[in-house]
Amino acid sequence: MLYRLTAPLALALAASALPLGAQGFRYAPGTATYDASVVTNMTRDIGGQRMADQVTQRQRLTVSLTPGAADTMQIGVTIDTASLVSRTGPQDISQLIGLKVAGKVSPLGHVYSSRLASGDLGPAGPMVAGELAKILPRMRADLRVGLAWTDTIAEQVEMLGVPIDRRTIVKSRVVGDTTVAGERGWRVDRSAEVSFSGSGTMQGQAFTLRGTSNADGLIVIGRSGRYLASAQTDSVKTDFTAQGTSFSVTQTQKTTVALAR
């Protein structure tokens, strides 16, 4: 989740309810509201000096999913509320409140396109839109207890106007049944290994970066076709080089998402 390295939280979950038929699992049309939080412990190592910080990000998001043409769905995400607190106190991220993202996804969570539908975040806009559009974890149509699969995703994303090559290997396994908010669902255990690298110019200075990320967590997918909850822990290390100077950033992030009450 590279976006978390450079800007406030941009995540969400989508949902609704529709009986599953013979075609198997697919995300169902509808609208839902979610509370999301990310607690990040960050260490920067610059010139032998180590600086630590903790950042807590919270958002309430409204997510809509509507049928589109062929095997495509229209997804919309609105940030209703947002806050960010570091060790120095609350930070102003009011520019995120009311932000809207629109995109096209498959019924199994594959993202086809994304864009900011309102708001202006400058060079960070495409990255924010791209991450918000990925609110539906990729699933399989034949979900069942015991099913295991691996997805390998190679993509180029944009971070503050700089192209970043990212490769992700995601391992998933449906480990059992569970219940969230009175609704039956599948518990999916998921782990991911990510590598990323890129180079470009920021504020007139050339730089390069590369890094790795490892994540473990769980996702609960409702049998009705909606995303119910998730919890994930990420460990991220990024190495930067600019003007002959190298420094690194290490992060541990704990992310939770749940239906708003």
Side-chain angles (χ1 to χ4, degrees):
M1 299 299 178
L2 291 179
Y3 172 58
R4 298 178 198 158
L5 301 179
T6 59
L9 169 66
L11 50 81
L13 297 172
S16 189
L18 189 69
L20 296 179
Q23 292 181 341
F25 175 82
R26 47 193 292 140
Y27 287 108
T31 301
T33 302
Y34 294 86
D35 288 323
S37 71
V38 176
V39 179
T40 303
N41 287 288
M42 179 188 304
T43 302
R44 300 180 182 91
D45 193 343
I46 303 174
Q49 295 186 344
R50 181 163 293 186
M51 298 175 288
D53 196 6
Q54 183 181 77
V55 178
T56 299
Q57 306 169 68
R58 301 187 189 280
Q59 289 185 355
R60 174 162 287 192
L61 306 122
T62 296
V63 179
S64 64
L65 198 60
T66 58
D71 202 28
T72 301
M73 307 187 83
Q74 305 285 342
I75 194 165
V77 183
T78 301
I79 300 178
D80 299 320
T81 64
S83 66
L84 186 151
V85 179
S86 68
R87 287 181 176 173
T88 60
Q91 307 298 310
D92 182 10
I93 57 170
S94 56
Q95 75 275 17
L96 288 179
I97 299 174
L99 188 78
K100 298 179 184 294
V101 168
K104 295 180 180 181
V105 300
S106 80
L108 295 177
H110 296 253
V111 177
Y112 299 138
S113 65
S114 62
R115 62 180 177 84
L116 286 181
S118 72
D120 183 5
L121 298 180
M127 188 70 175
V128 175
E131 293 301 312
L132 280 171
K134 294 175 183 175
I135 61 181
L136 296 175
R138 294 190 182 198
M139 287 293 148
R140 289 271 297 264
D142 55 343
L143 282 186
R144 64 185 185 279
V145 175
L147 177 68
W149 74 96
T150 300
D151 293 316
T152 300
I153 307 165
E155 58 187 342
Q156 186 174 86
V157 298
E158 189 174 300
M159 184 175 69
L160 299 179
V162 176
I164 303 296
D165 293 318
R166 182 167 65 186
R167 186 173 188 269
T168 306
I169 300 175
V170 182
K171 296 181 179 180
S172 306
R173 183 177 181 84
V174 185
V175 296
D177 296 315
T178 189
T179 301
V180 172
E183 184 172 339
R184 287 188 63 206
W186 291 286
R187 171 178 166 145
V188 182
D189 282 2
R190 177 161 287 181
S191 64
E193 297 180 359
V194 184
S195 60
F196 53 91
S197 63
S199 61
T201 301
M202 188 179 301
Q203 296 180 343
Q205 296 184 3
F207 76 96
T208 62
L209 68 83
R210 65 177 59 250
T212 58
S213 172
N214 292 280
D216 288 287
L218 64 90
I219 300 164
V220 181
I221 298 292
R223 290 180 177 269
S224 61
R226 69 172 181 169
Y227 201 146
L228 298 178
S230 69
Q232 180 173 303
T233 299
D234 296 80
S235 297
V236 186
K237 183 178 180 182
T238 309
D239 296 314
F240 297 86
T241 301
Q243 293 186 323
T245 301
S246 298
F247 62 96
S248 63
V249 177
T250 302
Q251 293 177 300
T252 300
Q253 299 170 326
K254 293 185 177 180
T255 304
T256 59
V257 182
L259 288 165
R261 297 183 180 277

